[in-house]
Amino acid sequence: MILPGKHIRPDRSLIVIGGEILQELAHPRTVSEVWDRVRAARNDHIEASPLTYDWFILALAFLYAISAVRLDGDHLAIEGTR
């Protein structure tokens, strides 16, 4: 689930989805902005499997648990940036 494996494709693992989320956080954004941007980026990749909102939230929770992102008011940001 966190890492790709025998039964989980890389584009379905939380670590890869988390990386896609971090790519969209060059500047702080709201959760809905990040969700829209990640879905749009995944739609550009023909081989990427569809991303559900609950899987997106699991990836966000994973990033928060490892202190990779923080919530500033209603905006997500990469931890350690302002």
Side-chain angles (χ1 to χ4, degrees), residues 2-56:
I2 294 174
L3 295 173
K6 184 176 179 180
H7 299 290
I8 295 184
R9 292 178 30 174
D11 65 329
R12 295 283 298 157
S13 67
L14 295 180
I15 197 95
V16 170
I17 297 168
E20 294 172 5
I21 291 170
L22 290 176
Q23 286 180 336
E24 301 302 332
L25 288 176
H27 305 286
R29 301 184 193 283
T30 64
V31 173
S32 11
E33 287 174 330
V34 176
W35 166 239
D36 290 339
R37 293 174 70 93
V38 169
R39 276 190 316 160
R42 284 180 76 91
N43 286 339
D44 291 342
H45 294 51
I46 296 169
E47 298 166 0
S49 57
L51 179 63
T52 61
Y53 189 70
D54 59 338
W55 212 248
F56 170 77

